């Protein structure tokens, strides 16, 4: 469920970034989109690693 939310957010931030780059007056929107994309990707990667680590811990 969480991975689906992260993927949807990544898609939204990608669209926002592209719109910001296409519309020259909205360059700030591209910057915000890129920052949010990177933050969401890092969060998703961190959550996946954390979940995997917990499963390994329980197996011991």
């Amino acid at each position: 469920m969480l991975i689906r939310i992260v993927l949807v957010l990544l898609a939204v931030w990608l669209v926002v970034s592209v719109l910001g780059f296409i519309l020259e007056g909205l360059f700030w929107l591209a910057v915000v989109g890129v920052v949010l994309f990177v933050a969401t990707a890092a969060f998703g990667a961190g959550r996946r690693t954390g979940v995997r680590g917990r499963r390994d811990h329980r197996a011991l």
Side-chain angles (χ1 to χ4, degrees):
M1 177 67 179
L2 179 66
I3 195 78
R4 184 175 290 170
I5 294 170
V6 169
L7 289 174
V8 168
L9 284 174
L10 287 174
V12 169
W13 302 147
L14 188 62
V15 169
V16 166
S17 298
V18 169
L19 283 175
F21 281 118
I22 290 173
L23 304 173
E24 293 175 10
L26 295 177
F27 181 72
W28 62 271
L29 189 63
V31 173
V32 169
V34 168
V35 168
L36 291 174
F37 183 89
V38 170
T40 303
F43 174 77
R47 288 293 283 187
R48 287 191 60 175
T49 302
V51 170
R52 201 175 298 141
R54 285 189 210 133
R55 286 185 187 157
D56 291 342
H57 183 354
R58 280 192 241 149
L60 295 174

